Amino acid sequence: MNKKTLHKISYGLYIISSIKEGKLNGQIANTVFQITSEPPTMAISINKENLTHEYIRESKLLTVSILDQSAPMTLIGKFGFKTGREIDKFIDTKYKLSNNGVPIIEEAVMGFLEGEVIQEVDMGSHTIFIARVTDADITKDVEPMNYAYYHQVKNGKAPKTAPTYIEEDVKKSINIDKYTCSVCGYVYDPEKGDEAGGIKPGVAFEELPEAWLCPICGVGKSEFVKE
């Protein structure tokens, strides 16, 4: 079976947020879809290992912030490859609180949905939360980021806890050494460099400054492995 066929299913890219005992947390997710129109309901798939899963189960509240195509990889990396058990993702993130007190991201977002969980479906590694939509709005008239854009234009990877994660074969380069981040899967390609980080094309990994960090998840060079 060619599992890469699953990548042809259309997905968006969202930040799912929730609250527990006054604490905020959020994560990247791509599996959000509408179920009914009246009353409006939606479904969100969240890995059971994620802290956001714990928050949603406790509060029964969540928001979906719909990322647009301008979303920087640093924002996606913070919410997609770092855990709220170790950092507060909202300290330097622009957000507002929904009517239910759940954060809505306000940077690189074109709209949001707020929901109250009315049912849970156990799917083994994930839980599908079915929520009644209590509020929604379009905040910018721009194109939302879909998963194809994230992969093909942003060169993004899926975290291992994502429902769409598929382990990829690592191919060795004959002429140029590429290095892969062991945390998020970002590949440093000397032919492309790291434009956002001020690294021009042609700079070998070994020549990168010691202070250089992965543009997606922010770890140092020591977390990279040679392909």
Side-chain angles (χ1 to χ4, degrees):
M1 179 173 66
N2 184 359
K3 290 186 176 181
K4 290 186 177 180
T5 308
L6 296 170
H7 285 166
K8 302 303 180 182
I9 299 175
S10 297
Y11 299 94
L13 206 64
Y14 316 94
I15 294 179
I16 311 301
S17 302
S18 190
I19 187 171
K20 177 184 176 183
E21 298 174 353
K23 296 181 179 179
L24 310 177
N25 196 60
Q27 67 162 79
I28 292 289
N30 65 358
T31 310
V32 177
F33 55 95
Q34 181 179 350
I35 299 176
T36 61
S37 59
E38 191 58 45
T41 57
M42 58 182 170
I44 303 95
S45 179
I46 302 292
N47 190 288
K48 293 178 180 178
E49 296 180 2
N50 293 352
L51 185 62
T52 305
H53 182 279
E54 177 184 322
Y55 279 32
I56 295 174
R57 294 203 74 181
E58 180 74 19
S59 68
K60 305 299 183 185
L61 301 173
L62 58 85
T63 58
V64 178
S65 299
I66 307 170
L67 293 176
D68 63 48
Q69 294 181 356
S70 72
M73 294 304 289
T74 50
L75 179 67
I76 296 171
K78 176 167 58 176
F79 281 90
F81 294 96
K82 295 184 178 181
T83 173
R85 295 183 176 92
E86 297 176 357
I87 67 168
D88 183 347
K89 301 179 184 180
F90 289 92
I91 284 182
D92 56 353
T93 302
K94 187 178 180 181
Y95 71 94
K96 66 178 180 180
L97 295 179
S98 72
N99 295 328
N100 288 331
V102 183
I104 299 168
I105 309 299
E106 291 191 296
E107 52 184 281
V109 164
M110 54 79 61
F112 73 89
L113 300 156
E114 178 190 49
E116 296 179 354
V117 176
I118 57 176
Q119 187 177 346
E120 298 179 15
V121 181
D122 189 333
M123 297 302 296
S125 61
H126 289 66
T127 297
I128 296 178
F129 293 102
I130 299 175
R132 179 174 60 87
V133 178
T134 55
D135 194 13
D137 199 8
I138 297 172
T139 54
K140 283 194 296 184
D141 186 18
V142 294
E143 287 296 318
M145 184 185 299
N146 58 36
Y147 215 43
Y149 188 94
Y150 169 65
H151 279 290
Q152 297 167 12
V153 179
K154 296 284 189 178
N155 196 30
K157 307 294 181 181
K160 291 185 178 181
T161 56
T164 55
Y165 174 77
I166 297 175
E167 187 173 1
E168 298 181 0
D169 294 330
V170 177
K171 297 181 180 179
K172 295 183 178 180
S173 174
I174 298 176
N175 299 317
I176 297 178
D177 291 332
K178 298 179 183 179
Y179 284 75
T180 301
C181 177
S182 60
V183 176
C184 70
Y186 168 80
V187 177
Y188 176 76
D189 184 349
E191 288 188 339
K192 298 178 180 179
D194 173 19
E195 183 179 353
I199 306 299
K200 296 180 179 180
V203 178
F205 183 82
E206 294 82 0
E207 299 173 352
L208 291 173
E210 289 305 313
W212 181 82
L213 300 175
C214 174
I216 295 182
C217 67
V219 299
K221 292 175 62 178
S222 62
E223 298 293 338
F224 280 71
V225 295
K226 183 178 178 180
E227 289 191 2

